[in-house]
Amino acid sequence: MADSNNLFQLAVTLLQQLISIPSFSKEEDRTADLINELLQQQGVTTHRKLNNIWAWNKHYDAAKPTILLNSHHDTVKPNSGYTRDPYDAKIEDGKLFGLGSNDAGGCLVSLIAVFLYFHDKENLKYNFCLATTAEEEISGVNGLELIIPDLGKLDFGIVGEPTLMQLAIAERGLMVLDCVAHGRAGHAAREEGDNAIYKALTDIEWFRNFRFPNESEVFGPIKMSVTIINAGSQHNVVPASCTFTVDVRVTDAYRNEEVLEIIRQHVSCDVNPRSIRLKPSSIPREHPIVQAGIALGRTTYGSPTTSDQSLLDIPSIKVGPGDSARSHTADEFVYVDEIREGIELYIKMLESIN
């Protein structure tokens, strides 16, 4: 089924069907069923683990490199500002409305269409691995991360997120740090105790002002923001502890583990990361897939937001139809023409490196 117009129609119809089925994170079983059935109807051999569906091209050759095509089918819950039925996927004035239409339904169905375009072709220079995954919106452990061991060797990836089909060649990682400064309780009226707030202030000032030596060509410096602080029980007691939370947006100049080690060397408080899973990612501007996009008039940029790209240890590019400014908004929509353009641009980019 290589005709691009047929693939476009299939993609739009599939997106409307997906929107009609609630698929909140961890509740994606019915959309997984739909994707699985659609692929099998198109002659694709599918694999499933929980709510993740993946497949390889028909003429897979283990001797060839493999390109990952990935996007997610879970959504956030509709916010209170909706004036439309979030699950009614109507098309009006060229806009396809509905929850998840933009993030990341348009990307998902476009990549499925692209996979089907290449699925039956022989003598490709690359294999293709399609992974339609769950729990992206909550950075869950039962989404892409769960099936990466099942996907085999991957050489680079395209992660479908709404970027107006511009090329996000780097993505910030994220660490959330829970910090505890320790003092000693005492009566505030006497020279007693060791005030944990004052100890925390020294470390907070360091987080505010420290500049990591290595800086990203795309993002510049790592950004650290203290966002929550809590201490004390009553006005006349010197607090024995002060807790605070730091949001750390790691760039591709460091690994999360390296940043954590540097922080611990400089502060006196206990530093406990909630997770180091959400890694920064990047792909060289010289990479063939990036150059293919640039040749088609696409621009490159660094994405400040996290996605499943953070779970990959391979070069990857984030690109897809739709606009991230529409993600999670009331009356979410994607332009139908964005899906058509997305399919065509994905194919042109991939054919130019095949």
Side-chain angles (χ1 to χ4, degrees):
M1 186 179 182
D3 180 81
S4 60
N5 189 61
N6 286 342
L7 290 170
F8 165 68
Q9 295 297 336
L10 177 147
V12 171
T13 300
L14 175 59
L15 180 53
Q16 290 179 297
Q17 293 172 329
L18 289 168
I19 289 169
S20 72
I21 303 170
S23 55
F24 308 139
S25 303
K26 296 189 176 184
E27 301 175 20
E28 315 95 340
D29 52 305
R30 291 172 60 206
T31 47
D33 291 343
L34 176 62
I35 293 166
N36 196 43
E37 181 179 352
L38 178 279
L39 290 172
Q40 290 180 358
Q41 288 173 349
Q42 299 299 319
V44 177
T45 300
T46 60
H47 307 268
R48 180 169 184 167
K49 184 176 284 187
L50 297 183
N51 295 328
N52 305 287
I53 309 293
W54 71 96
W56 289 278
N57 55 300
K58 184 175 182 179
H59 301 289
Y60 178 89
D61 182 348
K64 295 178 180 179
T66 300
I67 301 170
L68 172 68
L69 306 178
N70 166 247
S71 192
H72 64 95
H73 57 100
D74 64 314
T75 74
V76 297
K77 294 186 177 181
N79 68 52
S80 60
Y82 263 84
T83 65
R84 313 173 64 97
D85 180 349
Y87 310 108
D88 185 8
K90 287 183 178 177
I91 298 175
E92 297 177 4
D93 300 323
K95 300 175 181 178
L96 198 168
F97 287 92
L99 181 66
S101 57
N102 179 78
D103 183 15
C107 304
L108 174 70
V109 299
S110 296
L111 285 174
I112 289 173
V114 170
F115 175 78
L116 292 174
Y117 176 86
F118 287 106
H119 177 259
D120 293 342
K121 293 185 182 297
E122 299 184 49
N123 303 316
L124 294 170
K125 293 181 180 178
Y126 291 88
N127 300 306
F128 287 91
C129 176
L130 172 71
T132 68
T133 49
E135 296 194 10
E136 190 274 345
E137 293 291 2
I138 59 170
S139 301
V141 297
N142 288 321
L144 176 61
E145 185 176 32
L146 178 70
I147 65 169
I148 285 175
D150 299 292
L151 302 183
K153 185 177 183 298
L154 303 169
D155 290 83
F156 74 89
I158 294 177
V159 176
E161 288 284 335
T163 70
L164 292 170
M165 287 307 290
Q166 306 305 327
L167 313 174
I169 60 172
E171 180 182 275
R172 289 186 189 270
L174 169 65
M175 285 195 300
V176 179
L177 307 179
D178 291 314
C179 302
V180 184
H182 296 282
R184 189 177 70 258
H187 199 297
R190 297 190 289 268
E191 294 296 324
E192 293 179 349
D194 185 7
N195 197 318
I197 292 177
Y198 298 153
K199 288 191 168 185
L201 286 175
T202 300
D203 287 343
I204 289 170
E205 193 67 12
W206 180 87
F207 279 110
R208 180 182 182 185
N209 295 318
F210 183 76
R211 195 162 183 137
F212 287 83
N214 300 336
E215 297 192 358
S216 166
E217 292 183 9
V218 178
F219 294 113
I222 287 174
K223 180 175 174 56
M224 298 191 292
S225 303
V226 177
T227 54
I228 302 171
I229 186 168
N230 188 28
S233 57
Q234 59 190 66
H235 76 90
N236 59 350
V237 177
V238 172
S241 66
C242 177
T243 63
F244 59 97
T245 301
V246 188
D247 179 293
V248 183
R249 302 289 168 156
V250 184
T251 72
D252 52 308
Y254 288 92
R255 295 183 63 83
N256 285 353
E257 295 86 348
E258 295 173 318
V259 171
L260 182 60
E261 180 61 26
I262 291 170
I263 290 171
R264 283 174 167 164
Q265 288 173 358
H266 284 83
V267 297
S268 61
C269 60
D270 296 338
V271 179
N272 302 300
R274 295 181 187 177
S275 170
I276 57 173
R277 295 168 50 241
L278 304 180
K279 304 180 290 282
S281 57
S282 65
I283 191 168
R285 187 180 171 87
E286 298 74 29
H287 194 283
I289 194 66
V290 180
Q291 288 300 307
I294 292 172
L296 291 167
R298 306 292 96 186
T299 59
T300 62
Y301 73 103
S303 174
T305 58
T306 57
S307 71
D308 275 346
Q309 194 176 15
S310 66
L311 302 172
L312 296 172
D313 282 319
I314 56 172
S316 59
I317 187 169
K318 184 164 68 175
V319 57
D323 185 346
S324 63
R326 297 183 218 132
S327 298
H328 306 176
T329 60
D331 300 336
E332 182 182 349
F333 69 89
V334 64
Y335 286 102
V336 174
D337 283 348
E338 289 177 324
I339 297 173
R340 185 188 296 275
E341 179 194 39
I343 294 170
E344 292 174 353
L345 281 170
Y346 279 138
I347 290 172
K348 287 178 181 177
M349 289 169 62
L350 289 164
E351 283 186 332
S352 73
I353 62 170
N354 273 295

